[in-house]
Amino acid sequence: QTRGILRADLKLAIMSATIDAGAICSALEAPLIESRGRLFKVETFWRESDPPEAEIPRLCAWLSRSILKEREGDILVFLPSEAMIRRTSELLETIPEGCVTLPLYGMLDAAAQDRAISPDPQGRRKIILATPIAETSLTIEGVRNVIDSGLCRKAVYDPRTGLSRLET
């Protein structure tokens, strides 16, 4: 409708790695253009039981140290909140030389976010402590290891009080 009414030269691209592209292209009577990315071998490890929420920063710091010793590449750690990011960062203050810990969450200023997603100018290995928002919206060059706490915070509306609250 917009092309017909306002701009005949308008082009629209719908891009996703996860949607059913065939169904959308069929519905829009549009061509499908595919671009295959590089595939990476993935190994998955998990704990059999969930630790208490208060233990998550300590566990993620310990796993990060283990990965630094045993594997190559940067580390991306998903934590549910800024508070857990700060606590995990405090626990990682004494990481080996040649490594750096960087936070990544929505309320950070643009320069700090850019530092987290860009290669380190000094060539150091990075441990990026991020909220799950980064899970679906970006790819960070150099990340070869991911630790996912499995937790996230979501706004939940309480009709009794008429207010929303964050729930982990």
Side-chain angles (χ1 to χ4, degrees), residues 127-141:
I127 301 173
I128 303 156
L129 306 174
T131 54
I133 192 72
E135 231 169 1
T136 57
S137 59
L138 56 102
T139 299
I140 302 174
E141 184 180 333

Side-chain angles (χ1 to χ4, degrees), residues 19 30 34 44-45 47 61 129 141 147 150-151:
I19 61 173
E34 290 185 279
T44 304
F45 305 91
R47 290 178 56 98
L129 306 174
E141 184 180 333
I147 299 169
L151 300 173

Side-chain angles (χ1 to χ4, degrees), residues 46-51 59:
W46 67 90
R47 290 178 56 98
E48 293 297 324
S49 61
D50 295 334
L59 179 59

Side-chain angles (χ1 to χ4, degrees), residues 70-159:
E70 299 168 9
R71 299 182 172 271
E72 294 183 11
D74 295 340
I75 303 168
L76 177 58
V77 182
F78 289 116
L79 295 156
S81 66
E82 290 177 45
M84 279 200 192
I85 287 172
R86 281 191 297 277
R87 180 68 186 125
T88 306
S89 183
E90 289 168 5
L91 293 166
L92 288 168
E93 283 182 351
T94 59
I95 57 174
E97 193 172 318
C99 299
V100 62
T101 302
L102 299 165
L104 180 59
Y105 52 88
M107 296 305 292
L108 276 179
D109 64 75
Q113 290 183 28
D114 288 345
R115 276 192 300 277
I117 63 174
S118 301
D120 185 70
Q122 298 165 0
R124 298 174 293 185
R125 287 181 73 184
K126 297 188 305 184
I127 301 173
I128 303 156
L129 306 174
T131 54
I133 192 72
E135 231 169 1
T136 57
S137 59
L138 56 102
T139 299
I140 302 174
E141 184 180 333
V143 170
R144 301 286 178 265
N145 308 281
V146 176
I147 299 169
D148 191 339
S149 69
L151 300 173
C152 67
R153 295 248 161 105
K154 294 188 179 193
V156 176
Y157 177 73
D158 183 348

Side-chain angles (χ1 to χ4, degrees), residues 7-25:
R7 300 231 1 227
D9 63 330
L10 179 69
K11 303 284 186 201
L12 177 66
I14 300 172
M15 300 168 46
S16 174
T18 58
I19 61 173
D20 180 359
I24 289 180
C25 289

Side-chain angles (χ1 to χ4, degrees), residues 15 23 30 32 39 60 62 92 105 125 150 160:
M15 300 168 46
L32 173 63
L39 297 177
C60 288
W62 179 82
L92 288 168
Y105 52 88
R125 287 181 73 184
R160 223 182 37 198

